[in-house]
mmCIF file with all atom_site columns, all heavy atoms in Angstrom:
data_model
loop_
_atom_site.group_PDB
_atom_site.id
_atom_site.type_symbol
_atom_site.label_atom_id
_atom_site.label_alt_id
_atom_site.label_comp_id
_atom_site.label_asym_id
_atom_site.label_entity_id
_atom_site.label_seq_id
_atom_site.pdbx_PDB_ins_code
_atom_site.Cartn_x
_atom_site.Cartn_y
_atom_site.Cartn_z
_atom_site.occupancy
_atom_site.B_iso_or_equiv
_atom_site.pdbx_formal_charge
_atom_site.auth_seq_id
_atom_site.auth_comp_id
_atom_site.auth_asym_id
_atom_site.auth_atom_id
_atom_site.pdbx_PDB_model_num
ATOM 1   N N   . SER A 1 28 ? 103.568 117.586 70.776 1.00 93.00 ? 29 SER A N   1
ATOM 2   C CA  . SER A 1 28 ? 104.117 118.668 71.537 1.00 93.00 ? 29 SER A CA  1
ATOM 3   C C   . SER A 1 28 ? 104.796 118.145 72.766 1.00 93.00 ? 29 SER A C   1
ATOM 4   O O   . SER A 1 28 ? 105.980 118.419 73.076 1.00 93.00 ? 29 SER A O   1
ATOM 5   C CB  . SER A 1 28 ? 103.055 119.694 71.906 1.00 93.00 ? 29 SER A CB  1
ATOM 6   O OG  . SER A 1 28 ? 103.546 120.682 72.844 1.00 93.00 ? 29 SER A OG  1
ATOM 7   N N   . THR A 1 29 ? 104.073 117.376 73.593 1.00 95.00 ? 30 THR A N   1
ATOM 8   C CA  . THR A 1 29 ? 104.556 116.962 74.864 1.00 95.00 ? 30 THR A CA  1
ATOM 9   C C   . THR A 1 29 ? 103.992 115.518 75.170 1.00 95.00 ? 30 THR A C   1
ATOM 10  O O   . THR A 1 29 ? 102.894 115.204 74.838 1.00 95.00 ? 30 THR A O   1
ATOM 11  C CB  . THR A 1 29 ? 104.133 117.867 76.021 1.00 95.00 ? 30 THR A CB  1
ATOM 12  O OG1 . THR A 1 29 ? 104.455 119.183 75.732 1.00 95.00 ? 30 THR A OG1 1
ATOM 13  C CG2 . THR A 1 29 ? 104.776 117.453 77.322 1.00 95.00 ? 30 THR A CG2 1
ATOM 14  N N   . ILE A 1 30 ? 104.930 114.649 75.738 1.00 96.00 ? 31 ILE A N   1
ATOM 15  C CA  . ILE A 1 30 ? 104.526 113.371 76.212 1.00 96.00 ? 31 ILE A CA  1
ATOM 16  C C   . ILE A 1 30 ? 104.671 113.319 77.752 1.00 96.00 ? 31 ILE A C   1
ATOM 17  O O   . ILE A 1 30 ? 105.769 113.593 78.213 1.00 96.00 ? 31 ILE A O   1
ATOM 18  C CB  . ILE A 1 30 ? 105.368 112.210 75.546 1.00 96.00 ? 31 ILE A CB  1
ATOM 19  C CG1 . ILE A 1 30 ? 105.235 112.278 74.050 1.00 96.00 ? 31 ILE A CG1 1
ATOM 20  C CG2 . ILE A 1 30 ? 104.853 110.862 76.052 1.00 96.00 ? 31 ILE A CG2 1
ATOM 21  C CD1 . ILE A 1 30 ? 106.009 111.205 73.295 1.00 96.00 ? 31 ILE A CD1 1
ATOM 22  N N   . ASN A 1 31 ? 103.639 112.944 78.393 1.00 96.00 ? 32 ASN A N   1
ATOM 23  C CA  . ASN A 1 31 ? 103.662 112.767 79.800 1.00 96.00 ? 32 ASN A CA  1
ATOM 24  C C   . ASN A 1 31 ? 103.972 111.270 80.139 1.00 96.00 ? 32 ASN A C   1
ATOM 25  O O   . ASN A 1 31 ? 105.042 110.820 79.726 1.00 96.00 ? 32 ASN A O   1
ATOM 26  C CB  . ASN A 1 31 ? 102.369 113.231 80.494 1.00 96.00 ? 32 ASN A CB  1
ATOM 27  C CG  . ASN A 1 31 ? 102.337 114.685 80.807 1.00 96.00 ? 32 ASN A CG  1
ATOM 28  O OD1 . ASN A 1 31 ? 103.330 115.332 80.584 1.00 96.00 ? 32 ASN A OD1 1
ATOM 29  N ND2 . ASN A 1 31 ? 101.200 115.154 81.120 1.00 96.00 ? 32 ASN A ND2 1
ATOM 30  N N   . GLY A 1 32 ? 103.089 110.546 80.770 1.00 97.00 ? 33 GLY A N   1
ATOM 31  C CA  . GLY A 1 32 ? 103.436 109.208 81.091 1.00 97.00 ? 33 GLY A CA  1
ATOM 32  C C   . GLY A 1 32 ? 103.337 108.234 79.931 1.00 97.00 ? 33 GLY A C   1
ATOM 33  O O   . GLY A 1 32 ? 102.673 108.525 78.962 1.00 97.00 ? 33 GLY A O   1
ATOM 34  N N   . MET A 1 33 ? 104.136 107.262 79.989 1.00 98.00 ? 34 MET A N   1
ATOM 35  C CA  . MET A 1 33 ? 104.190 106.174 78.996 1.00 98.00 ? 34 MET A CA  1
ATOM 36  C C   . MET A 1 33 ? 104.092 104.832 79.734 1.00 98.00 ? 34 MET A C   1
ATOM 37  O O   . MET A 1 33 ? 104.508 104.709 80.903 1.00 98.00 ? 34 MET A O   1
ATOM 38  C CB  . MET A 1 33 ? 105.406 106.235 78.159 1.00 98.00 ? 34 MET A CB  1
ATOM 39  C CG  . MET A 1 33 ? 105.649 107.585 77.470 1.00 98.00 ? 34 MET A CG  1
ATOM 40  S SD  . MET A 1 33 ? 107.107 107.642 76.411 1.00 98.00 ? 34 MET A SD  1
ATOM 41  C CE  . MET A 1 33 ? 106.397 106.861 74.906 1.00 98.00 ? 34 MET A CE  1
ATOM 42  N N   . GLY A 1 34 ? 103.557 103.871 79.104 1.00 98.00 ? 35 GLY A N   1
ATOM 43  C CA  . GLY A 1 34 ? 103.448 102.612 79.765 1.00 98.00 ? 35 GLY A CA  1
ATOM 44  C C   . GLY A 1 34 ? 103.172 101.400 78.867 1.00 98.00 ? 35 GLY A C   1
ATOM 45  O O   . GLY A 1 34 ? 103.058 101.537 77.658 1.00 98.00 ? 35 GLY A O   1
ATOM 46  N N   . TRP A 1 35 ? 103.065 100.248 79.522 1.00 98.00 ? 36 TRP A N   1
ATOM 47  C CA  . TRP A 1 35 ? 102.791 99.005  78.819 1.00 98.00 ? 36 TRP A CA  1
ATOM 48  C C   . TRP A 1 35 ? 101.667 98.315  79.482 1.00 98.00 ? 36 TRP A C   1
ATOM 49  O O   . TRP A 1 35 ? 101.508 98.274  80.776 1.00 98.00 ? 36 TRP A O   1
ATOM 50  C CB  . TRP A 1 35 ? 103.941 98.117  78.785 1.00 98.00 ? 36 TRP A CB  1
ATOM 51  C CG  . TRP A 1 35 ? 105.107 98.533  77.918 1.00 98.00 ? 36 TRP A CG  1
ATOM 52  C CD1 . TRP A 1 35 ? 106.133 99.386  78.251 1.00 98.00 ? 36 TRP A CD1 1
ATOM 53  C CD2 . TRP A 1 35 ? 105.170 98.305  76.495 1.00 98.00 ? 36 TRP A CD2 1
ATOM 54  N NE1 . TRP A 1 35 ? 106.957 99.638  77.132 1.00 98.00 ? 36 TRP A NE1 1
ATOM 55  C CE2 . TRP A 1 35 ? 106.379 98.968  76.068 1.00 98.00 ? 36 TRP A CE2 1
ATOM 56  C CE3 . TRP A 1 35 ? 104.513 97.570  75.578 1.00 98.00 ? 36 TRP A CE3 1
ATOM 57  C CZ2 . TRP A 1 35 ? 106.833 98.926  74.687 1.00 98.00 ? 36 TRP A CZ2 1
ATOM 58  C CZ3 . TRP A 1 35 ? 104.927 97.471  74.225 1.00 98.00 ? 36 TRP A CZ3 1
ATOM 59  C CH2 . TRP A 1 35 ? 106.115 98.169  73.853 1.00 98.00 ? 36 TRP A CH2 1
ATOM 60  N N   . TYR A 1 36 ? 100.760 97.708  78.682 1.00 98.00 ? 37 TYR A N   1
ATOM 61  C CA  . TYR A 1 36 ? 99.659  96.868  79.165 1.00 98.00 ? 37 TYR A CA  1
ATOM 62  C C   . TYR A 1 36 ? 99.729  95.596  78.413 1.00 98.00 ? 37 TYR A C   1
ATOM 63  O O   . TYR A 1 36 ? 100.437 95.486  77.394 1.00 98.00 ? 37 TYR A O   1
ATOM 64  C CB  . TYR A 1 36 ? 98.279  97.604  78.934 1.00 98.00 ? 37 TYR A CB  1
ATOM 65  C CG  . TYR A 1 36 ? 98.035  98.774  79.728 1.00 98.00 ? 37 TYR A CG  1
ATOM 66  C CD1 . TYR A 1 36 ? 98.719  99.949  79.495 1.00 98.00 ? 37 TYR A CD1 1
ATOM 67  C CD2 . TYR A 1 36 ? 97.111  98.743  80.787 1.00 98.00 ? 37 TYR A CD2 1
ATOM 68  C CE1 . TYR A 1 36 ? 98.471  101.123 80.287 1.00 98.00 ? 37 TYR A CE1 1
ATOM 69  C CE2 . TYR A 1 36 ? 96.796  99.843  81.495 1.00 98.00 ? 37 TYR A CE2 1
ATOM 70  C CZ  . TYR A 1 36 ? 97.503  101.070 81.213 1.00 98.00 ? 37 TYR A CZ  1
ATOM 71  O OH  . TYR A 1 36 ? 97.233  102.173 82.023 1.00 98.00 ? 37 TYR A OH  1
ATOM 72  N N   . ARG A 1 37 ? 99.025  94.611  78.910 1.00 98.00 ? 38 ARG A N   1
ATOM 73  C CA  . ARG A 1 37 ? 98.942  93.327  78.227 1.00 98.00 ? 38 ARG A CA  1
ATOM 74  C C   . ARG A 1 37 ? 97.571  92.686  78.335 1.00 98.00 ? 38 ARG A C   1
ATOM 75  O O   . ARG A 1 37 ? 96.865  92.948  79.353 1.00 98.00 ? 38 ARG A O   1
ATOM 76  C CB  . ARG A 1 37 ? 100.053 92.382  78.693 1.00 98.00 ? 38 ARG A CB  1
ATOM 77  C CG  . ARG A 1 37 ? 99.865  91.815  80.076 1.00 98.00 ? 38 ARG A CG  1
ATOM 78  C CD  . ARG A 1 37 ? 101.074 91.063  80.528 1.00 98.00 ? 38 ARG A CD  1
ATOM 79  N NE  . ARG A 1 37 ? 100.899 90.536  81.844 1.00 98.00 ? 38 ARG A NE  1
ATOM 80  C CZ  . ARG A 1 37 ? 101.888 89.913  82.584 1.00 98.00 ? 38 ARG A CZ  1
ATOM 81  N NH1 . ARG A 1 37 ? 103.067 89.663  81.965 1.00 98.00 ? 38 ARG A NH1 1
ATOM 82  N NH2 . ARG A 1 37 ? 101.651 89.413  83.750 1.00 98.00 ? 38 ARG A NH2 1
ATOM 83  N N   . GLN A 1 38 ? 97.325  91.868  77.376 1.00 98.00 ? 39 GLN A N   1
ATOM 84  C CA  . GLN A 1 38 ? 96.022  91.090  77.410 1.00 98.00 ? 39 GLN A CA  1
ATOM 85  C C   . GLN A 1 38 ? 96.288  89.697  77.060 1.00 98.00 ? 39 GLN A C   1
ATOM 86  O O   . GLN A 1 38 ? 96.657  89.357  75.895 1.00 98.00 ? 39 GLN A O   1
ATOM 87  C CB  . GLN A 1 38 ? 94.992  91.700  76.466 1.00 98.00 ? 39 GLN A CB  1
ATOM 88  C CG  . GLN A 1 38 ? 93.632  91.020  76.579 1.00 98.00 ? 39 GLN A CG  1
ATOM 89  C CD  . GLN A 1 38 ? 92.518  91.891  75.948 1.00 98.00 ? 39 GLN A CD  1
ATOM 90  O OE1 . GLN A 1 38 ? 92.810  92.741  75.103 1.00 98.00 ? 39 GLN A OE1 1
ATOM 91  N NE2 . GLN A 1 38 ? 91.304  91.563  76.203 1.00 98.00 ? 39 GLN A NE2 1
ATOM 92  N N   . GLY A 1 39 ? 96.237  88.798  78.004 1.00 96.00 ? 40 GLY A N   1
ATOM 93  C CA  . GLY A 1 39 ? 96.413  87.386  77.783 1.00 96.00 ? 40 GLY A CA  1
ATOM 94  C C   . GLY A 1 39 ? 95.213  86.648  77.223 1.00 96.00 ? 40 GLY A C   1
ATOM 95  O O   . GLY A 1 39 ? 94.107  87.247  77.252 1.00 96.00 ? 40 GLY A O   1
ATOM 96  N N   . PRO A 1 40 ? 95.379  85.466  76.777 1.00 93.00 ? 41 PRO A N   1
ATOM 97  C CA  . PRO A 1 40 ? 94.211  84.717  76.141 1.00 93.00 ? 41 PRO A CA  1
ATOM 98  C C   . PRO A 1 40 ? 93.079  84.583  77.151 1.00 93.00 ? 41 PRO A C   1
ATOM 99  O O   . PRO A 1 40 ? 93.283  84.055  78.259 1.00 93.00 ? 41 PRO A O   1
ATOM 100 C CB  . PRO A 1 40 ? 94.832  83.350  75.872 1.00 93.00 ? 41 PRO A CB  1
ATOM 101 C CG  . PRO A 1 40 ? 96.300  83.582  75.792 1.00 93.00 ? 41 PRO A CG  1
ATOM 102 C CD  . PRO A 1 40 ? 96.620  84.680  76.736 1.00 93.00 ? 41 PRO A CD  1
ATOM 103 N N   . GLY A 1 41 ? 91.919  85.077  76.812 1.00 94.00 ? 42 GLY A N   1
ATOM 104 C CA  . GLY A 1 41 ? 90.734  84.936  77.684 1.00 94.00 ? 42 GLY A CA  1
ATOM 105 C C   . GLY A 1 41 ? 90.734  85.806  78.891 1.00 94.00 ? 42 GLY A C   1
ATOM 106 O O   . GLY A 1 41 ? 89.948  85.700  79.798 1.00 94.00 ? 42 GLY A O   1
ATOM 107 N N   . LYS A 1 42 ? 91.677  86.809  78.855 1.00 95.00 ? 43 LYS A N   1
ATOM 108 C CA  . LYS A 1 42 ? 91.757  87.680  80.012 1.00 95.00 ? 43 LYS A CA  1
ATOM 109 C C   . LYS A 1 42 ? 91.484  89.183  79.633 1.00 95.00 ? 43 LYS A C   1
ATOM 110 O O   . LYS A 1 42 ? 91.541  89.489  78.416 1.00 95.00 ? 43 LYS A O   1
ATOM 111 C CB  . LYS A 1 42 ? 93.140  87.608  80.623 1.00 95.00 ? 43 LYS A CB  1
ATOM 112 C CG  . LYS A 1 42 ? 93.521  86.218  81.123 1.00 95.00 ? 43 LYS A CG  1
ATOM 113 C CD  . LYS A 1 42 ? 94.970  86.198  81.741 1.00 95.00 ? 43 LYS A CD  1
ATOM 114 C CE  . LYS A 1 42 ? 95.370  84.871  82.184 1.00 95.00 ? 43 LYS A CE  1
ATOM 115 N NZ  . LYS A 1 42 ? 96.736  84.897  82.785 1.00 95.00 ? 43 LYS A NZ  1
ATOM 116 N N   . GLU A 1 43 ? 91.287  90.004  80.597 1.00 97.00 ? 44 GLU A N   1
ATOM 117 C CA  . GLU A 1 43 ? 91.085  91.388  80.372 1.00 97.00 ? 44 GLU A CA  1
ATOM 118 C C   . GLU A 1 43 ? 92.437  92.049  80.303 1.00 97.00 ? 44 GLU A C   1
ATOM 119 O O   . GLU A 1 43 ? 93.428  91.517  80.794 1.00 97.00 ? 44 GLU A O   1
ATOM 120 C CB  . GLU A 1 43 ? 90.267  92.011  81.529 1.00 97.00 ? 44 GLU A CB  1
ATOM 121 C CG  . GLU A 1 43 ? 88.833  91.500  81.569 1.00 97.00 ? 44 GLU A CG  1
ATOM 122 C CD  . GLU A 1 43 ? 87.982  92.261  82.580 1.00 97.00 ? 44 GLU A CD  1
ATOM 123 O OE1 . GLU A 1 43 ? 88.601  93.106  83.353 1.00 97.00 ? 44 GLU A OE1 1
ATOM 124 O OE2 . GLU A 1 43 ? 86.784  92.131  82.583 1.00 97.00 ? 44 GLU A OE2 1
ATOM 125 N N   . ARG A 1 44 ? 92.496  93.215  79.606 1.00 97.00 ? 45 ARG A N   1
ATOM 126 C CA  . ARG A 1 44 ? 93.734  93.949  79.542 1.00 97.00 ? 45 ARG A CA  1
ATOM 127 C C   . ARG A 1 44 ? 94.170  94.398  80.938 1.00 97.00 ? 45 ARG A C   1
ATOM 128 O O   . ARG A 1 44 ? 93.357  94.879  81.717 1.00 97.00 ? 45 ARG A O   1
ATOM 129 C CB  . ARG A 1 44 ? 93.557  95.153  78.634 1.00 97.00 ? 45 ARG A CB  1
ATOM 130 C CG  . ARG A 1 44 ? 94.837  95.859  78.248 1.00 97.00 ? 45 ARG A CG  1
ATOM 131 C CD  . ARG A 1 44 ? 94.669  97.006  77.265 1.00 97.00 ? 45 ARG A CD  1
ATOM 132 N NE  . ARG A 1 44 ? 94.223  96.510  76.007 1.00 97.00 ? 45 ARG A NE  1
ATOM 133 C CZ  . ARG A 1 44 ? 94.134  97.255  74.922 1.00 97.00 ? 45 ARG A CZ  1
ATOM 134 N NH1 . ARG A 1 44 ? 94.508  98.518  74.950 1.00 97.00 ? 45 ARG A NH1 1
ATOM 135 N NH2 . ARG A 1 44 ? 93.702  96.754  73.767 1.00 97.00 ? 45 ARG A NH2 1
ATOM 136 N N   . GLU A 1 45 ? 95.494  94.269  81.250 1.00 98.00 ? 46 GLU A N   1
ATOM 137 C CA  . GLU A 1 45 ? 95.985  94.613  82.511 1.00 98.00 ? 46 GLU A CA  1
ATOM 138 C C   . GLU A 1 45 ? 97.189  95.511  82.391 1.00 98.00 ? 46 GLU A C   1
ATOM 139 O O   . GLU A 1 45 ? 97.979  95.374  81.381 1.00 98.00 ? 46 GLU A O   1
ATOM 140 C CB  . GLU A 1 45 ? 96.325  93.383  83.385 1.00 98.00 ? 46 GLU A CB  1
ATOM 141 C CG  . GLU A 1 45 ? 97.480  92.547  82.775 1.00 98.00 ? 46 GLU A CG  1
ATOM 142 C CD  . GLU A 1 45 ? 97.807  91.410  83.728 1.00 98.00 ? 46 GLU A CD  1
ATOM 143 O OE1 . GLU A 1 45 ? 97.252  91.274  84.807 1.00 98.00 ? 46 GLU A OE1 1
ATOM 144 O OE2 . GLU A 1 45 ? 98.691  90.607  83.309 1.00 98.00 ? 46 GLU A OE2 1
#
Side-chain angles (χ1 to χ4, degrees):
S29 174
T30 309
I31 302 178
N32 276 352
M34 305 182 83
W36 290 91
Y37 290 73
R38 67 186 181 186
Q39 187 166 15
K43 299 180 180 179
E44 294 186 352
R45 189 175 297 190
E46 64 176 357

